Amino acid sequence: MIELIILLLPLAVLLMMAFAIKDIFTHPMERTHQLLWLIVILAFNFLGVCAYYFAKALGAHQDPRTTYRERYEKKFEESVEGKRDEKEEPKKSSFLTNNNIVLIIIAVYVTLLLLVKVWNTI
């Protein structure tokens, strides 16, 4: 049982890395930042993925020269324009949001663990 968990753990880490790399290249940021994050994730695997999402949550990818107020005003204007656009055309929701990706990884990993446990009891 422990051996199979040890074998499945790298699979979970690889899935996390794949989704993080997908997020890096779909997130609007400079090309140099994308390459630096790619190197960090490939070099440090799990810790690199954690560092990327932590930095993303803090807003580290935004231009540091803009002040908090300017970013707030820009978001406010975008939300007002978005509400105008929503009335005209409904937005298409993407299934692969960050939360859904994490839930999919957890579900796959738990399913694999349960299958291994059932296989070992037979």
Side-chain angles (χ1 to χ4, degrees), residues 59-112:
H61 306 304
Q62 296 174 351
D63 188 4
R65 294 171 288 190
T66 59
T67 63
Y68 176 77
R69 184 172 181 85
E70 290 172 345
R71 286 187 292 200
Y72 178 77
E73 289 173 355
K74 184 178 176 183
K75 285 184 182 180
F76 178 74
E77 290 173 4
E78 289 174 355
S79 68
V80 170
E81 290 175 4
K83 288 182 181 177
R84 290 181 198 150
D85 293 341
E86 285 178 4
K87 292 176 184 175
E88 297 171 3
E89 183 179 317
K91 275 188 167 181
K92 296 178 181 177
S93 63
S94 174
F95 176 72
L96 289 178
T97 61
N98 288 337
N99 293 337
N100 287 348
I101 290 171
V102 171
L103 291 175
I104 290 169
I105 291 171
I106 291 170
V108 167
Y109 188 69
V110 168
T111 304
L112 288 173

Side-chain angles (χ1 to χ4, degrees), residues 6-39:
I6 291 172
L7 290 174
L8 293 178
L9 192 59
L11 178 66
V13 172
L14 283 174
L15 284 173
M16 285 176 36
M17 288 173 54
F19 286 120
I21 290 170
K22 173 233 163 231
D23 190 42
I24 286 172
F25 288 105
T26 57
H27 190 74
M29 69 173 95
E30 295 179 19
R31 184 60 111 189
T32 55
H33 289 160
Q34 289 176 343
L35 293 175
L36 288 174
W37 278 116
L38 179 65
I39 291 170

Side-chain angles (χ1 to χ4, degrees), residues 47-65:
L47 293 177
V49 172
C50 292
Y52 170 71
Y53 283 113
F54 184 69
K56 185 178 175 182
L58 291 177
H61 306 304
Q62 296 174 351
D63 188 4
R65 294 171 288 190

